[in-house]
Amino acid sequence: MPLGLVLSLILSLSGCGVSSPPAMLEDYLQRVANVLEVEPQAGSSQTQAKVLPLPSRRDRRLATQELRSGLLDSLELRHCGLLPLIAERNSSLGKVMKPSIQLNYELQFFAKLQPCLRRDQQQSISDAAFSEQLRQIYQIKSTNLIPVWWNSVFASEAMERNLSLSRPPIPLEGHPGYGDSLRALEVMVSLAGPLSPPADPFPLPKQLERLESGHESLYNGEYGSQLFSSIQLLIDILNRTSLTLDRATRQRPLCLNGRSSTQAEYLRNVFDRYYGGGVQPYLSRTYRNGRSWLELMDQLAQQARPSSDWDRYHRQMLDPVAENGLWQQFEQAIQRHTRSWRQVLSSCGLMPGS
């Protein structure tokens, strides 16, 4: 056997600790190339994921309808129990509420407003002017429920951190904040249900008390940003490995007449030890957890269409079934990688299960 092949096989089978996803995946690709005695495929636009950055906050926000000046000034609103909430909103802190705090406020306001309007419709609380005032406030507040909810989700700093493209990939041992992140999205999805149209009667959602802690989990965990990085990394390495396998075996078949060879046995060892023992568990967890997270994000993103830039972003980054979207690129890279390995190992009678 040529000395170069012997050295490459020794290097490919020697133990080498890897502590990060990029190191593990590059190591895997290099070992495949070493056994095949070729240079690993370089990264390029052909192998890399196509992604979009998060649109500006202006392109993500939904406009809300303003209450006419003086509409909330009537002392008669005491009959609805609304004066403390109105005072809170008019305070210095109330005028600069975070989107999540504003949603909490608006839901509490509406939960008091709706039964008050229904009582007034059955028997006038005050006079005709007050009844008309209630009707106008209700119309505006009910129209604003979905925009306020939407802005609490997609105009928040917590979501901006989750949808950025700046964080490193998910660690090899997994993301410690994944479960909290998923539960936060579940709360946000559940809050949207009774808002369009508003449920009648409109009870204050039980999940509301978990809203702020959910935002904190998203803000601190940044799972989405790390998921995007992991998917991009995996797409690139899987595609480069596929191309390396395809190119090498086209140039020189690994086995003749379906009979195994020493080189093929070494390649199968790399497959078992470095793909099966490292890459595949990381890939599987990223796929399983990422799909669950993305499906919830897609449910959230379907609730409104604030701009054409948002529509493009939604399709490319958050829709798991959109053609040529990030998740479908991931699916295609996995399928291509599986197909390349199957062709090589099957030609040598070394496919697992054969």
Side-chain angles (χ1 to χ4, degrees):
M1 184 182 294
L3 179 60
L5 177 58
V6 172
L7 292 174
S8 70
L9 297 180
I10 292 172
L11 288 172
S12 73
L13 299 177
S14 62
C16 176
V18 291
S19 58
S20 70
M24 176 191 69
L25 290 162
E26 288 287 353
D27 179 68
Y28 161 65
L29 172 59
Q30 185 63 59
R31 289 174 186 278
V32 170
N34 285 346
V35 173
L36 294 171
E37 296 188 280
V38 297
E39 288 297 316
Q41 178 71 37
S44 68
S45 59
Q46 183 183 6
T47 67
Q48 293 164 357
K50 297 173 179 61
V51 297
L52 286 177
L54 184 66
S56 68
R57 190 175 293 185
R58 181 186 63 187
D59 289 324
R60 303 192 315 268
R61 288 188 67 87
L62 287 177
T64 55
Q65 187 176 350
E66 295 296 325
L67 285 169
R68 179 170 52 82
S69 177
L71 203 55
L72 293 179
D73 291 344
S74 173
L75 288 176
E76 298 299 316
L77 290 171
R78 71 183 185 277
H79 297 297
C80 303
L82 289 171
L83 293 185
L85 285 172
I86 294 170
E88 178 186 341
R89 191 74 172 96
N90 289 334
S91 69
S92 57
L93 290 177
K95 292 176 181 178
V96 291
M97 287 179 175
K98 294 189 302 183
S100 58
I101 301 296
Q102 185 178 354
L103 174 63
N104 193 315
Y105 168 86
E106 292 292 343
L107 293 180
Q108 291 191 54
F109 192 103
F110 197 82
K112 291 181 179 295
L113 175 65
Q114 189 193 67
C116 189
L117 175 68
R118 297 296 177 244
R119 290 199 312 271
D120 185 71
Q121 289 171 336
Q122 293 173 2
Q123 183 176 351
S124 180
I125 293 174
S126 179
D127 55 24
F130 179 69
S131 296
E132 176 61 18
Q133 180 185 24
L134 272 183
R135 189 194 64 78
Q136 291 182 33
I137 295 172
Y138 183 85
Q139 187 275 322
I140 292 171
K141 288 293 187 179
S142 61
T143 301
N144 282 346
L145 285 176
I146 280 293
V148 170
W149 169 85
W150 174 273
N151 292 339
S152 79
V153 176
F154 288 108
S156 68
E157 189 174 355
M159 194 59 77
E160 288 174 355
R161 287 166 66 96
N162 260 266
L163 298 181
S164 78
L165 297 174
S166 63
R167 301 296 295 155
I170 296 167
L172 292 176
E173 63 273 17
H175 193 291
Y178 166 72
D180 289 339
S181 177
L182 201 69
R183 285 186 286 273
L185 297 185
E186 289 170 345
V187 168
M188 293 174 179
V189 169
S190 69
L191 287 174
L195 303 185
S196 182
D200 191 358
F202 187 87
L204 201 60
K206 293 180 180 179
Q207 304 93 325
L208 196 57
E209 62 189 29
R210 297 164 53 196
L211 179 63
E212 198 57 30
S213 62
H215 273 262
E216 291 176 6
S217 296
L218 291 173
Y219 183 92
N220 295 325
E222 300 178 292
Y223 175 79
S225 181
Q226 292 192 260
L227 173 65
F228 287 161
S229 293
S230 291
I231 291 174
Q232 291 180 79
L233 175 64
L234 283 162
I235 287 173
D236 182 58
I237 293 295
L238 293 176
N239 282 335
R240 289 167 63 194
T241 303
S242 299
L243 289 169
T244 300
L245 286 165
D246 295 347
R247 173 167 45 86
T249 53
R250 276 198 310 269
Q251 293 172 354
R252 187 180 63 189
L254 207 58
C255 301
L256 296 175
N257 302 320
R259 298 177 62 185
S260 184
S261 65
T262 301
Q263 190 179 18
E265 295 282 354
Y266 277 117
L267 190 63
R268 171 62 194 269
N269 188 293
V270 169
F271 178 83
D272 289 340
R273 183 173 177 183
Y274 296 99
Y275 175 74
V279 175
Q280 197 279 331
Y282 183 76
L283 169 61
S284 178
R285 183 172 56 244
T286 301
Y287 185 96
R288 181 178 62 254
N289 292 353
R291 179 78 190 214
S292 298
W293 191 89
L294 204 65
E295 285 175 348
L296 286 170
M297 285 299 304
D298 184 43
Q299 288 184 52
L300 292 171
Q302 289 180 34
Q303 300 297 321
R305 303 177 65 182
S307 68
S308 57
D309 282 350
W310 173 259
D311 286 347
R312 284 191 291 272
Y313 179 84
H314 175 200
R315 288 193 302 272
Q316 188 68 19
M317 302 298 292
L318 304 179
D319 186 343
V321 298
E323 185 178 1
N324 298 321
L326 180 62
W327 191 261
Q328 285 303 305
Q329 294 176 57
F330 188 29
E331 296 261 17
Q332 291 161 16
I334 294 171
Q335 293 166 11
R336 182 183 191 181
H337 179 263
T338 301
R339 187 167 57 248
S340 293
W341 269 112
R342 181 181 293 118
Q343 290 172 348
V344 171
L345 296 180
S346 295
S347 70
C348 299
L350 294 174
M351 190 65 192
S354 63

